[in-house]
Amino acid sequence: MAEGHVISCHTLEHWNQLMQNSKDSKNLVVVDFTASWCGPCRIISPVFAEFAKKIPNVLFLKVDVDELAAVAKEWSIEAMPTFIFLKDGHLVDKVVGARKEDLHQTILKYAADTAPASASL
């Protein structure tokens, strides 16, 4: 698993592979559903990348809703940006909008479940 950066998914095959790998790893997965034309998405993108650097036990993914519309539909994405939080392939939470503090708190809430006991976030 690539740690410390955001992985962009451009194909359904890549998405499915990452989902399978994440189920096997038991780590938290945070998916940023974004669009190239979305202003708030562009604003939150560097923040999301910074979280990826600081919280290495979490898999950070980015999906363009226009590029992978089937994935966006599968997860009922209706607004951008939407961040979904997955554990063992199941949705555990969602943050809609470019809300940095809500996003950060939600990542920490679920990342704590997968972090080694000695890790401090």
Side-chain angles (χ1 to χ4, degrees):
M1 175 167 52
E3 293 183 346
H5 68 278
V6 178
I7 300 171
S8 293
C9 299
H10 298 288
T11 66
L12 201 50
E13 294 76 22
H14 188 215
W15 168 261
N16 290 334
Q17 176 190 0
L18 289 166
M19 287 298 96
Q20 187 56 53
N21 293 350
S22 70
K23 287 179 193 173
D24 296 341
S25 76
K26 307 286 188 210
N27 282 1
L28 174 67
V29 178
V30 184
V31 185
D32 174 8
F33 284 94
T34 186
S36 59
W37 44 263
C38 168
C41 296
R42 288 194 294 273
I43 292 168
I44 198 75
S45 184
V47 173
F48 191 65
E50 195 60 34
F51 291 156
K53 288 179 192 167
K54 292 181 177 175
I55 312 169
N57 63 310
V58 174
L59 179 60
F60 290 84
L61 305 178
K62 183 175 288 234
V63 172
D64 185 304
V65 297
D66 295 320
E67 192 173 30
L68 290 178
V71 175
K73 185 176 181 186
E74 175 186 351
W75 293 100
S76 304
I77 304 304
E78 298 175 352
M80 274 61 70
T82 293
F83 301 90
I84 64 169
F85 299 79
L86 306 171
K87 293 286 276 254
D88 300 323
H90 300 287
L91 182 69
V92 294
D93 215 329
K94 180 188 277 191
V95 172
V96 179
R99 299 185 344 243
K100 177 182 177 179
E101 196 52 41
D102 289 351
L103 179 60
H104 189 223
Q105 291 305 315
T106 308
I107 293 168
L108 293 181
K109 175 181 175 182
Y110 294 102
D113 295 344
T114 57
S118 62
S120 60
L121 300 175

